[in-house]
Amino acid sequence: MKNPITIVGAGLGGLTLARVLHVHGIPATVYEADPSPEFRVQGGQLDIHEHDGQFALAAAGLTAEFRAIIHAGGAAVRILDPQGSVLLDEPDDGTDTRPEVLRGDLRRILLDSLPVGTVQWGHKVAAVRPLGDGRHELTFTDGTTVITGLLVGADGAWSKIRPLLSDACPEYVGATFVETYLRDADERHPATAALVGAGAMYALTPGQGITVHREAGATLHTYVQLRRSAEWISGIDFTDPAAATALIAAEFEGWAPELTALIIDSDTPPVARMIHTLPHGHRWDRVPGVTLLGDAAHLMPPSGDGANLAMLDAAELGRAIAAHPDNPEAALRAYEAELFRRSTAAYADADEVLDLCLGERAPLGLVEMFSGVAVG
């Protein structure tokens, strides 16, 4: 590849792309706004699918490293009603093809696999402008600049690179997930820990629910799911954790105390994650020298596919570049054709999962999905 490859964003997608390119002997530089890899907690547990996430890790030559960080037992699933009665209980028997890992652990093995200096930390993009002939100039908030030969936006929902290709903006889907944590739950909150079980737990009703993943160290990582307007959410002062917690907990009056403890007794302030999406079937016309991957390309409601899709995008883009080392436009055309095809299907799946969790048949639809047996 004659032109320098610049990747914006050191999330799972950007790092997977850099690693796959490295495997093929193609250098790239990743620019990341965070000042260091330890600056932020990297999110919770992910199930990594055979056909996309695991495929991408194999393309990156990291299957053994991935296997070493799997959370044994993490694929167990429980679905409860608001009073804590168990509607479905599926243990992890070790045969699941979607093993669970922590996002932070996955990011670490990707970072460790890259040459020193590949990721340039503390480089937040302030502006980007085309220079012609497929080249672009990035300006960072510290005033420094870089000229790109091939530019990849792996910078998430609010991508600074996307406007080069598309005028689409993320829109709120009407659901917000409020994030909380219980630490050392087996000792400090044994009844709640027992109700959650060994893996994922879903307690759902139409319009709201509590979803939990058990993580290392008996940590219960919770997303309190609410179908509420943007105005309702903006009316909560999350800078006052006690008041915000009380308002969120009030929405679950009458639920089992072992479940509401996940909100009331949180060891961290509640954090609202408003769920946004790009238009279904989001695509763009070919623009020389630039493309997108992951949420920058196809932001959608969480369905368990987001990280997997981002890594698959990255692996396929890296392979396309390696297959066309002297013709980056041919690589980008081939990559985008498949990207648009698979993301169209993924949007439909994401909408279905959100409806299973918060729609009118919750939680029965989710029970049916996991069990394969019609309910009610």
Side-chain angles (χ1 to χ4, degrees):
M1 177 64 64
K2 296 178 181 178
N3 299 317
I5 297 176
T6 300
I7 303 165
V8 177
L12 298 180
L15 295 175
T16 300
L17 174 57
R19 170 62 184 179
V20 172
L21 291 171
H22 175 65
V23 166
H24 289 279
I26 301 171
T29 303
V30 182
Y31 292 94
E32 169 56 44
D34 286 352
S36 74
E38 297 82 20
F39 179 70
R40 286 185 297 133
V41 175
Q42 290 301 308
Q45 207 145 262
L46 303 169
D47 55 331
I48 305 301
H49 311 163
E50 277 188 313
H51 64 281
D52 43 28
Q54 292 181 51
F55 172 88
L57 289 165
L62 295 173
T63 296
E65 291 83 351
F66 161 69
R67 291 288 171 193
I69 63 170
I70 288 173
H71 173 198
V77 174
R78 304 189 98 195
I79 301 177
L80 313 179
D81 71 11
Q83 284 66 53
S85 297
V86 177
L87 304 177
L88 180 132
D89 189 357
E90 290 192 349
D92 182 354
D93 62 4
T95 63
D96 190 78
T97 58
R98 300 157 57 119
E100 302 272 347
V101 301
L102 281 174
R103 182 185 291 267
D105 289 345
L106 191 53
R107 191 188 197 214
R108 174 181 51 78
I109 66 172
L110 286 162
L111 283 169
D112 289 349
S113 74
L114 295 172
V116 174
T118 298
V119 180
Q120 297 292 304
W121 302 98
H123 283 74
K124 184 176 182 179
V125 175
V128 56
R129 66 186 182 96
L131 301 176
D133 298 324
R135 298 178 308 129
H136 294 82
E137 181 187 66
L138 296 178
T139 301
F140 302 103
T141 53
D142 64 2
T144 59
T145 62
V146 66
I147 306 299
T148 74
L150 195 162
L151 174 60
V152 181
D155 49 341
W158 307 102
S159 172
K160 291 291 185 69
I161 309 305
R162 188 191 298 124
L164 294 170
L165 297 162
S166 166
D167 61 3
C169 294
E171 296 183 356
Y172 180 54
V173 303
T176 293
F177 294 1
V178 180
E179 190 175 17
T180 69
Y181 287 85
L182 288 187
R183 314 284 192 196
D184 194 19
D186 289 334
E187 292 294 327
R188 298 175 55 227
H189 303 279
T192 296
L195 201 59
V196 169
M201 185 278 288
Y202 304 85
L204 308 168
T205 59
Q208 61 193 70
I210 298 174
T211 298
V212 188
H213 276 100
R214 176 183 284 268
E215 296 177 355
T219 293
L220 303 183
H221 185 181
T222 299
Y223 287 100
V224 181
Q225 302 174 319
L226 294 164
R227 272 203 186 276
R228 301 292 187 273
S229 69
E231 292 75 20
W232 191 88
I233 297 297
S234 65
I236 299 175
D237 181 6
F238 283 92
T239 66
D240 183 343
T245 295
L247 284 169
I248 298 300
E251 298 298 299
F252 294 85
E253 184 178 356
W255 287 48
E258 295 86 354
L259 293 173
T260 56
L262 293 156
I263 306 169
I264 297 167
D265 296 331
S266 175
D267 293 312
T268 58
V271 177
R273 310 287 187 192
M274 297 180 72
I275 307 303
H276 291 77
T277 186
L278 285 169
H280 286 206
H282 177 239
R283 60 182 61 211
W284 53 87
D285 294 330
R286 175 89 293 282
V287 174
V290 60
T291 194
L292 306 171
L293 63 79
D295 284 350
H298 45 63
L299 178 69
M300 61 190 70
S303 63
D305 287 332
N308 286 280
L309 283 173
M311 290 190 292
L312 179 59
D313 293 347
E316 296 289 36
L317 177 56
R319 284 153 49 99
I321 291 170
H324 302 276
D326 299 317
N327 191 345
E329 285 307 300
L332 297 186
R333 282 194 300 271
Y335 161 71
E336 289 178 351
E338 288 302 304
L339 169 76
F340 298 150
R341 179 193 59 76
R342 65 175 170 265
S343 63
T344 296
Y347 273 106
D349 291 344
D351 284 346
E352 180 182 4
V353 169
L354 189 63
D355 185 65
L356 288 172
C357 290
L358 297 177
E360 288 304 312
R361 295 196 67 242
L364 300 182
L366 196 66
V367 172
E368 290 175 354
M369 185 190 80
F370 279 111
S371 68
V373 177
V375 179

PDB file of all heavy atoms in Angstrom, residues 98-114:
ATOM      1  N   ARG A  98     -21.114 -18.650  21.400  1.00  0.00           N
ATOM      2  CA  ARG A  98     -20.985 -17.202  21.586  1.00  0.00           C
ATOM      3  C   ARG A  98     -20.419 -16.924  22.978  1.00  0.00           C
ATOM      4  O   ARG A  98     -21.085 -16.352  23.821  1.00  0.00           O
ATOM      5  CB  ARG A  98     -22.354 -16.534  21.424  1.00  0.00           C
ATOM      6  CG  ARG A  98     -22.974 -16.747  20.063  1.00  0.00           C
ATOM      7  CD  ARG A  98     -24.494 -16.585  20.095  1.00  0.00           C
ATOM      8  NE  ARG A  98     -24.930 -15.297  20.589  1.00  0.00           N
ATOM      9  CZ  ARG A  98     -25.653 -14.423  19.884  1.00  0.00           C
ATOM     10  NH1 ARG A  98     -26.013 -14.718  18.647  1.00  0.00           N
ATOM     11  NH2 ARG A  98     -26.022 -13.296  20.404  1.00  0.00           N
ATOM     12  N   PRO A  99     -19.171 -17.347  23.242  1.00  0.00           N
ATOM     13  CA  PRO A  99     -18.609 -17.174  24.589  1.00  0.00           C
ATOM     14  C   PRO A  99     -18.475 -15.702  24.963  1.00  0.00           C
ATOM     15  O   PRO A  99     -18.353 -14.826  24.107  1.00  0.00           O
ATOM     16  CB  PRO A  99     -17.245 -17.855  24.490  1.00  0.00           C
ATOM     17  CG  PRO A  99     -16.909 -17.834  23.039  1.00  0.00           C
ATOM     18  CD  PRO A  99     -18.204 -17.960  22.316  1.00  0.00           C
ATOM     19  N   GLU A 100     -18.489 -15.465  26.274  1.00  0.00           N
ATOM     20  CA  GLU A 100     -18.464 -14.103  26.820  1.00  0.00           C
ATOM     21  C   GLU A 100     -17.040 -13.700  27.204  1.00  0.00           C
ATOM     22  O   GLU A 100     -16.290 -14.491  27.791  1.00  0.00           O
ATOM     23  CB  GLU A 100     -19.360 -14.026  28.059  1.00  0.00           C
ATOM     24  CG  GLU A 100     -20.807 -14.405  27.817  1.00  0.00           C
ATOM     25  CD  GLU A 100     -21.658 -13.232  27.371  1.00  0.00           C
ATOM     26  OE1 GLU A 100     -21.195 -12.090  27.476  1.00  0.00           O
ATOM     27  OE2 GLU A 100     -22.801 -13.474  26.927  1.00  0.00           O
ATOM     28  N   VAL A 101     -16.710 -12.443  26.886  1.00  0.00           N
ATOM     29  CA  VAL A 101     -15.439 -11.856  27.324  1.00  0.00           C
ATOM     30  C   VAL A 101     -15.706 -10.414  27.733  1.00  0.00           C
ATOM     31  O   VAL A 101     -16.675  -9.793  27.289  1.00  0.00           O
ATOM     32  CB  VAL A 101     -14.358 -11.899  26.224  1.00  0.00           C
ATOM     33  CG1 VAL A 101     -14.074 -13.324  25.783  1.00  0.00           C
ATOM     34  CG2 VAL A 101     -14.744 -11.036  25.024  1.00  0.00           C
ATOM     35  N   LEU A 102     -14.815  -9.862  28.532  1.00  0.00           N
ATOM     36  CA  LEU A 102     -14.903  -8.449  28.873  1.00  0.00           C
ATOM     37  C   LEU A 102     -14.342  -7.606  27.736  1.00  0.00           C
ATOM     38  O   LEU A 102     -13.272  -7.916  27.179  1.00  0.00           O
ATOM     39  CB  LEU A 102     -14.133  -8.158  30.160  1.00  0.00           C
ATOM     40  CG  LEU A 102     -14.825  -8.516  31.469  1.00  0.00           C
ATOM     41  CD1 LEU A 102     -13.871  -8.311  32.636  1.00  0.00           C
ATOM     42  CD2 LEU A 102     -16.090  -7.678  31.671  1.00  0.00           C
ATOM     43  N   ARG A 103     -15.049  -6.539  27.405  1.00  0.00           N
ATOM     44  CA  ARG A 103     -14.589  -5.649  26.340  1.00  0.00           C
ATOM     45  C   ARG A 103     -13.167  -5.156  26.619  1.00  0.00           C
ATOM     46  O   ARG A 103     -12.333  -5.091  25.711  1.00  0.00           O
ATOM     47  CB  ARG A 103     -15.545  -4.461  26.207  1.00  0.00           C
ATOM     48  CG  ARG A 103     -15.180  -3.502  25.081  1.00  0.00           C
ATOM     49  CD  ARG A 103     -16.086  -2.299  25.090  1.00  0.00           C
ATOM     50  NE  ARG A 103     -17.449  -2.632  24.712  1.00  0.00           N
ATOM     51  CZ  ARG A 103     -17.933  -2.551  23.471  1.00  0.00           C
ATOM     52  NH1 ARG A 103     -17.149  -2.152  22.477  1.00  0.00           N
ATOM     53  NH2 ARG A 103     -19.186  -2.852  23.228  1.00  0.00           N
ATOM     54  N   GLY A 104     -12.889  -4.807  27.866  1.00  0.00           N
ATOM     55  CA  GLY A 104     -11.556  -4.315  28.199  1.00  0.00           C
ATOM     56  C   GLY A 104     -10.472  -5.350  27.964  1.00  0.00           C
ATOM     57  O   GLY A 104      -9.371  -5.022  27.501  1.00  0.00           O
ATOM     58  N   ASP A 105     -10.760  -6.619  28.278  1.00  0.00           N
ATOM     59  CA  ASP A 105      -9.780  -7.681  28.027  1.00  0.00           C
ATOM     60  C   ASP A 105      -9.545  -7.861  26.533  1.00  0.00           C
ATOM     61  O   ASP A 105      -8.408  -8.078  26.083  1.00  0.00           O
ATOM     62  CB  ASP A 105     -10.274  -8.996  28.627  1.00  0.00           C
ATOM     63  CG  ASP A 105     -10.233  -9.015  30.146  1.00  0.00           C
ATOM     64  OD1 ASP A 105      -9.569  -8.139  30.739  1.00  0.00           O
ATOM     65  OD2 ASP A 105     -10.870  -9.911  30.736  1.00  0.00           O
ATOM     66  N   LEU A 106     -10.627  -7.778  25.751  1.00  0.00           N
ATOM     67  CA  LEU A 106     -10.495  -7.936  24.306  1.00  0.00           C
ATOM     68  C   LEU A 106      -9.682  -6.791  23.711  1.00  0.00           C
ATOM     69  O   LEU A 106      -8.813  -7.000  22.857  1.00  0.00           O
ATOM     70  CB  LEU A 106     -11.890  -7.994  23.682  1.00  0.00           C
ATOM     71  CG  LEU A 106     -12.003  -8.418  22.224  1.00  0.00           C
ATOM     72  CD1 LEU A 106     -11.294  -9.741  21.970  1.00  0.00           C
ATOM     73  CD2 LEU A 106     -13.467  -8.507  21.814  1.00  0.00           C
ATOM     74  N   ARG A 107      -9.957  -5.591  24.186  1.00  0.00           N
ATOM     75  CA  ARG A 107      -9.183  -4.447  23.700  1.00  0.00           C
ATOM     76  C   ARG A 107      -7.704  -4.600  24.053  1.00  0.00           C
ATOM     77  O   ARG A 107      -6.821  -4.257  23.263  1.00  0.00           O
ATOM     78  CB  ARG A 107      -9.744  -3.161  24.299  1.00  0.00           C
ATOM     79  CG  ARG A 107      -9.179  -1.887  23.667  1.00  0.00           C
ATOM     80  CD  ARG A 107      -9.633  -0.680  24.430  1.00  0.00           C
ATOM     81  NE  ARG A 107      -9.471   0.548  23.677  1.00  0.00           N
ATOM     82  CZ  ARG A 107      -9.165   1.713  24.239  1.00  0.00           C
ATOM     83  NH1 ARG A 107      -8.984   1.792  25.539  1.00  0.00           N
ATOM     84  NH2 ARG A 107      -9.042   2.804  23.514  1.00  0.00           N
ATOM     85  N   ARG A 108      -7.429  -5.128  25.256  1.00  0.00           N
ATOM     86  CA  ARG A 108      -6.041  -5.288  25.686  1.00  0.00           C
ATOM     87  C   ARG A 108      -5.267  -6.232  24.774  1.00  0.00           C
ATOM     88  O   ARG A 108      -4.124  -5.935  24.389  1.00  0.00           O
ATOM     89  CB  ARG A 108      -5.992  -5.792  27.127  1.00  0.00           C
ATOM     90  CG  ARG A 108      -4.587  -6.126  27.628  1.00  0.00           C
ATOM     91  CD  ARG A 108      -4.614  -6.636  29.050  1.00  0.00           C
ATOM     92  NE  ARG A 108      -5.571  -7.704  29.253  1.00  0.00           N
ATOM     93  CZ  ARG A 108      -5.365  -8.971  28.897  1.00  0.00           C
ATOM     94  NH1 ARG A 108      -4.241  -9.324  28.272  1.00  0.00           N
ATOM     95  NH2 ARG A 108      -6.288  -9.908  29.129  1.00  0.00           N
ATOM     96  N   ILE A 109      -5.870  -7.386  24.404  1.00  0.00           N
ATOM     97  CA  ILE A 109      -5.106  -8.314  23.561  1.00  0.00           C
ATOM     98  C   ILE A 109      -4.883  -7.718  22.174  1.00  0.00           C
ATOM     99  O   ILE A 109      -3.853  -7.996  21.536  1.00  0.00           O
ATOM    100  CB  ILE A 109      -5.761  -9.710  23.489  1.00  0.00           C
ATOM    101  CG1 ILE A 109      -7.105  -9.693  22.777  1.00  0.00           C
ATOM    102  CG2 ILE A 109      -5.879 -10.329  24.867  1.00  0.00           C
ATOM    103  CD1 ILE A 109      -7.685 -11.083  22.531  1.00  0.00           C
ATOM    104  N   LEU A 110      -5.808  -6.890  21.703  1.00  0.00           N
ATOM    105  CA  LEU A 110      -5.589  -6.217  20.428  1.00  0.00           C
ATOM    106  C   LEU A 110      -4.463  -5.202  20.539  1.00  0.00           C
ATOM    107  O   LEU A 110      -3.571  -5.141  19.675  1.00  0.00           O
ATOM    108  CB  LEU A 110      -6.874  -5.542  19.963  1.00  0.00           C
ATOM    109  CG  LEU A 110      -7.953  -6.478  19.422  1.00  0.00           C
ATOM    110  CD1 LEU A 110      -9.311  -5.786  19.396  1.00  0.00           C
ATOM    111  CD2 LEU A 110      -7.594  -6.975  18.021  1.00  0.00           C
ATOM    112  N   LEU A 111      -4.473  -4.398  21.604  1.00  0.00           N
ATOM    113  CA  LEU A 111      -3.408  -3.412  21.783  1.00  0.00           C
ATOM    114  C   LEU A 111      -2.047  -4.091  21.910  1.00  0.00           C
ATOM    115  O   LEU A 111      -1.050  -3.642  21.326  1.00  0.00           O
ATOM    116  CB  LEU A 111      -3.692  -2.564  23.026  1.00  0.00           C
ATOM    117  CG  LEU A 111      -4.759  -1.483  22.893  1.00  0.00           C
ATOM    118  CD1 LEU A 111      -5.116  -0.924  24.254  1.00  0.00           C
ATOM    119  CD2 LEU A 111      -4.292  -0.366  21.956  1.00  0.00           C
ATOM    120  N   ASP A 112      -2.001  -5.185  22.675  1.00  0.00           N
ATOM    121  CA  ASP A 112      -0.726  -5.875  22.887  1.00  0.00           C
ATOM    122  C   ASP A 112      -0.188  -6.488  21.605  1.00  0.00           C
ATOM    123  O   ASP A 112       1.015  -6.785  21.511  1.00  0.00           O
ATOM    124  CB  ASP A 112      -0.891  -6.973  23.942  1.00  0.00           C
ATOM    125  CG  ASP A 112      -1.083  -6.421  25.348  1.00  0.00           C
ATOM    126  OD1 ASP A 112      -0.878  -5.210  25.550  1.00  0.00           O
ATOM    127  OD2 ASP A 112      -1.453  -7.212  26.245  1.00  0.00           O
ATOM    128  N   SER A 113      -1.046  -6.696  20.616  1.00  0.00           N
ATOM    129  CA  SER A 113      -0.626  -7.341  19.364  1.00  0.00           C
ATOM    130  C   SER A 113      -0.070  -6.362  18.344  1.00  0.00           C
ATOM    131  O   SER A 113       0.394  -6.782  17.279  1.00  0.00           O
ATOM    132  CB  SER A 113      -1.810  -8.095  18.742  1.00  0.00           C
ATOM    133  OG  SER A 113      -2.746  -7.191  18.160  1.00  0.00           O
ATOM    134  N   LEU A 114      -0.111  -5.067  18.661  1.00  0.00           N
ATOM    135  CA  LEU A 114       0.303  -4.047  17.692  1.00  0.00           C
ATOM    136  C   LEU A 114       1.700  -3.519  18.005  1.00  0.00           C
ATOM    137  O   LEU A 114       2.089  -3.438  19.175  1.00  0.00           O
ATOM    138  CB  LEU A 114      -0.687  -2.884  17.706  1.00  0.00           C
ATOM    139  CG  LEU A 114      -2.102  -3.213  17.233  1.00  0.00           C
ATOM    140  CD1 LEU A 114      -3.030  -2.033  17.490  1.00  0.00           C
ATOM    141  CD2 LEU A 114      -2.102  -3.585  15.748  1.00  0.00           C
TER     142      LEU A 114
END
